[in-house]
Amino acid sequence: MTNDEVVRSRRLAVMGGTFDPIHYAHLLIAEDVRRRFQLPQVLFMPSGSPPHKKDYEVSSAEDRYIMALLATCGNPHFAVSRLEIDRPGPSYTIDTLRRLKDELGEGAQLHFVTGADAILEILTWHEPDAILDEARLIAVPRPGFDLGTLDETLGARRASKVTVIDAPLAEISSTMIRRRVEEGASIRYLTPRPVIEYINKRGLYRRTVRREEPDGETF
Ligand code: NAP
């Protein structure tokens, strides 16, 4: 059985992101959304080819998918989807939401969770109005994010279609983890241990190899 086949619920949170790498803040946000909206399942959706260009070299979709699996496999309410990483071309959110709705059938309700700074740009995404029709958006702000900008950008749609939630462990970010690995600093307690072991095994994020532990591992 693939992880996608684990998805049985018609009410679902979809955690959209690059997840390079996944970390404890993502997991806590997912659990918080699941409880708050009383959803039976959260589906992590690593983007295959992120539609908007990044200012760093994104790890392979397969590596990001495996790390998401390692981080979530202990929670029976969490699953990871290959939908975007197996679909050729840019990972448009509208294609994902439509595909999930087709699969889940009549009455499917989707909550799409991602960073507030990403949602701020939603009007530049492919078919933004259709996205807002297909799912409730859950925006997770980083510290210092100005919520007024969401109101300005989305107007009336902000109140009816977008919910903002607090970000637990907001100081943890994928950028912080990549930087720490590159610097040879510890990432212990920032992401689950199997993810750290996978990062070490695959040598991810180490443009320069520096050592903190005697064996060169960044625990
Ligand atoms: P990203 O680089 O993954 O993340 C942007 C910000 O949001 C970062 O601060 C990130 O923190 C945070 N974040 C990411 N995923 C999160 C989650 N599930 N919950 C809470 N915070 C999260 O963002 P992106 O590449 O712009 O993509 C975000 C989502 O929007 C993806 O699903 C992507 O496919 C979708 N998107 C769609 C389109 C389109 O359809 N045209 C265009 C752009 C984005 P961390 O770095 O710590 O994760």
Side-chain angles (χ1 to χ4, degrees):
M1 184 158 60
T2 70
N3 223 252
D4 280 297
E5 286 166 342
V6 175
V7 177
R8 290 278 172 262
S9 168
R10 294 222 165 113
R11 295 183 60 248
L12 200 65
V14 179
M15 283 284 281
T18 310
F19 299 120
D20 194 17
I22 194 166
H23 50 67
Y24 276 127
H26 295 132
L27 299 172
L28 218 52
I29 289 163
E31 187 61 12
D32 183 46
V33 167
R34 189 180 77 74
R35 286 169 189 269
R36 191 185 294 226
F37 296 94
Q38 299 183 327
L39 302 170
Q41 273 199 316
V42 179
L43 184 62
F44 286 75
M45 185 66 66
S47 52
S49 169
H52 288 187
K53 240 184 158 2
K54 301 281 174 211
D55 57 4
Y56 66 98
E57 196 179 325
V58 177
S59 305
S60 75
E62 211 58 45
D63 279 336
R64 292 180 290 109
Y65 170 74
I66 291 169
M67 289 190 281
L69 269 187
L70 290 170
T72 56
C73 61
N75 187 329
H77 301 290
F78 289 176
V80 187
S81 178
R82 294 190 62 91
L83 203 58
E84 292 195 353
I85 69 170
D86 286 344
R87 190 171 62 215
S91 295
Y92 292 132
T93 298
I94 188 58
D95 296 342
T96 304
L97 298 176
R98 283 184 178 141
R99 174 74 189 275
L100 285 172
K101 281 221 163 160
D102 280 352
E103 281 178 11
L104 298 173
E106 198 72 25
Q109 280 179 27
L110 302 178
H111 294 62
F112 184 76
V113 187
T114 197
D117 40 356
I119 287 181
L120 189 59
E121 300 197 341
I122 193 168
L123 297 182
T124 68
W125 296 8
H126 195 55
E127 297 192 51
D129 285 317
I131 295 175
L132 291 159
D133 286 341
E134 296 289 355
R136 164 152 287 276
L137 265 59
I138 313 287
V140 189
R142 286 238 160 256
F145 180 84
D146 176 5
L147 288 175
T149 55
L150 265 187
D151 296 326
E152 277 166 35
T153 307
L154 294 172
R157 289 173 289 200
R158 155 76 170 91
S160 59
K161 302 282 187 176
V162 182
T163 303
V164 176
I165 63 163
D166 293 338
L169 300 181
E171 58 285 2
I172 302 179
S173 70
S174 301
T175 307
M176 173 208 207
I177 293 180
R178 291 193 304 271
R179 195 170 297 145
R180 289 184 68 86
V181 174
E182 190 182 352
E183 289 167 353
S186 169
I187 57 170
R188 191 180 238 172
Y189 307 128
L190 299 177
T191 186
R193 181 138 184 152
V195 175
I196 298 176
E197 286 168 354
Y198 187 83
I199 289 170
N200 286 331
K201 183 173 178 184
R202 297 275 299 129
L204 300 181
Y205 315 127
R206 285 173 192 243
R207 264 162 267 164
T208 338
V209 179
R210 286 179 221 158
R211 298 192 162 200
E212 179 169 275
E213 301 278 324
D215 57 2
E217 294 182 329
T218 49
F219 292 123

